[in-house]
Amino acid sequence: MTLYIGREASKLWKRVCAEVTAEITLLSENWKYLLAGLIFQYIHGLAARGVHYLHRPGPLLQDVGFLLLPELGIDKAYISETLFTLIFISFFLWTFHPFILKSKRIYTVLVWCRVLAFLVASQFLRIFTFYSTQLPGPNYHCREGSKLATLPRPESALEVLLINFPRGIVYGCGDLIFSSHMIFTLVFVRTYQKYGTRRFIKQFAWLLAVIQSFLIVASRKHYTVDVVVAWYTVNLVVFFIDKKLPEMPDRTSGASLMLPLTSKDKDSRNKEENHKLLNGNSGDPTDRRQRTQVNGKNLEDGNTGHPDNAMNGV
């Protein structure tokens, strides 16, 4: 038993080391995209903090979701945040599962490059939207009479740049259309829908996204329009950007062959292919078709009967 555990532990360690090596290679080539995505997360937080200075509390707007869904109240508002935290942590851990599990289809670095691209595009649209019109916040700390509903004029630029993290994020007001929680939830669910392997988990993830939508409205953190706009905007953003991004390699067909080439490897391969072409070799070992010479020139497939087939002056 001890021998078996030791052998399995050794295999796991080798797998982790191999995965770390592969991911470091990818990280060295894609760190700029990851860093840019992380920096924009701060910019998004900064924009949300800035619109809080513009927020003016007022009476709640008429909302269908508020009429249909019972209000959870302040004491139960944590339910929505708890579910969102569960979705966030679950997705984060799933992106690192190739380091441990044998059945792996993704590279962690490449997945997060795509996820951050989706988040940045959605958040960019969100910033333009909530700065266009500031609605009176429906959350409890954003209503009339709350000290947190309005922010005093900042005394220095540093006060704005620090965004009072994390309290300034949790108790923000004015950044309503559209829901940031739904941006993250839908991006995570759609990513797992494409690259995940468990059908049951995919269906369950979509169910959690729907439940999250209802809880956000029931907690009075957003109006229903904030959630509805998030549903079609984020899905459209992910759809169109995913079409523009290069497809990720499927690791089930061989992980080592799917690693992108470094610039040095690309130059070496290009030189090798050019050398083979200059020597009359296509470089493809499976290409063994007989070539016929006409007027001292090589023709493929033996097409010698028509003068248009001759390669004159080449």
Side-chain angles (χ1 to χ4, degrees):
M1 184 66 178
T2 305
L3 181 62
Y4 174 78
I5 295 176
R7 185 168 61 251
E8 291 300 316
S10 177
K11 291 181 180 178
L12 177 61
W13 174 249
K14 291 180 180 179
R15 189 181 309 131
V16 171
C17 291
E19 196 66 29
V20 169
T21 302
E23 293 291 348
I24 289 177
T25 302
L26 291 172
L27 182 61
S28 65
E29 298 180 353
N30 298 279
W31 66 270
K32 295 180 181 179
Y33 304 110
L34 294 174
L35 181 60
L38 294 176
I39 291 177
F40 194 85
Q41 299 309 301
Y42 168 74
I43 296 175
H44 175 257
L46 188 64
R49 175 68 173 180
V51 80
H52 196 166
Y53 290 100
L54 304 176
H55 176 258
R56 295 295 179 265
L60 295 182
L61 304 178
Q62 183 175 348
D63 190 279
V64 175
F66 291 0
L67 297 176
L68 298 179
L69 296 176
E71 187 172 351
L72 292 179
I74 300 178
D75 55 334
K76 295 181 181 179
Y78 69 91
I79 298 178
S80 173
E81 290 297 328
T82 301
L83 178 59
F84 175 75
T85 303
L86 175 63
I87 294 174
F88 189 97
I89 294 177
S90 299
F91 179 81
F92 181 84
L93 294 177
W94 170 76
T95 60
F96 285 90
H97 82 276
F99 286 85
I100 299 177
L101 302 181
K102 293 181 180 179
S103 56
K104 46 196 176 186
R105 295 182 55 191
I106 62 171
Y107 289 106
T108 303
V109 170
L110 298 183
V111 164
W112 278 106
C113 283
R114 302 180 82 86
V115 168
L116 287 172
F118 301 149
L119 292 177
V120 167
S122 300
Q123 291 167 337
F124 184 80
L125 295 176
R126 180 175 188 261
I127 292 173
F128 270 100
T129 306
F130 65 64
Y131 266 104
S132 300
T133 303
Q134 290 83 47
L135 304 179
N139 212 334
Y140 303 104
H141 64 269
C142 298
R143 300 179 183 180
E144 292 179 308
S146 174
K147 296 180 179 180
L148 299 175
T150 58
L151 291 179
R153 186 173 180 177
E155 298 179 358
S156 64
L158 185 61
E159 181 181 341
V160 180
L161 295 176
L162 293 179
I163 65 177
N164 192 21
F165 185 83
R167 184 178 176 86
I169 302 297
V170 176
Y171 293 99
C173 297
D175 56 326
L176 292 176
I177 300 177
F178 41 97
S179 171
S180 180
H181 284 61
M182 290 308 302
I183 290 178
F184 281 89
T185 299
L186 292 173
V187 167
F188 292 166
V189 171
R190 283 199 58 122
T191 302
Y192 186 80
Q193 174 70 32
K194 183 172 183 178
Y195 299 108
T197 56
R198 305 288 183 178
R199 183 179 180 183
F200 168 75
I201 297 180
K202 294 179 182 180
Q203 297 172 343
F204 184 64
W206 283 112
L207 177 62
L208 290 182
V210 174
I211 295 175
Q212 177 72 31
S213 303
F214 288 126
L215 287 177
I216 288 175
V217 178
S219 301
R220 303 303 188 253
K221 296 180 178 180
H222 281 277
Y223 293 107
T224 305
V225 64
D226 307 337
V227 176
V228 172
V229 172
W231 267 93
Y232 63 73
T233 302
V234 176
N235 279 290
L236 288 174
V237 166
V238 173
F239 175 79
F240 284 108
I241 292 184
D242 193 50
K243 294 291 184 181
K244 298 296 183 180
L245 294 176
E247 187 52 71
M248 286 208 313
D250 189 347
R251 301 187 60 173
T252 55
S253 59
S256 61
L257 299 178
M258 292 300 180
L259 282 175
L261 296 175
T262 63
S263 58
K264 182 177 180 181
D265 294 334
K266 290 178 181 178
D267 293 339
S268 177
R269 174 169 292 187
N270 289 336
K271 291 180 180 179
E272 182 180 355
E273 291 178 352
N274 291 335
H275 179 73
K276 290 180 178 180
L277 289 173
L278 290 174
N279 286 275
N281 190 344
S282 66
D284 186 1
T286 61
D287 187 5
R288 292 293 182 266
R289 291 173 294 182
Q290 183 178 2
R291 301 168 186 266
T292 307
Q293 289 190 341
V294 178
N295 296 328
K297 305 300 178 181
N298 291 334
L299 296 178
E300 294 186 359
D301 299 330
N303 295 327
T304 61
H306 197 282
D308 293 340
N309 292 327
M311 299 174 60
N312 297 323
V314 180

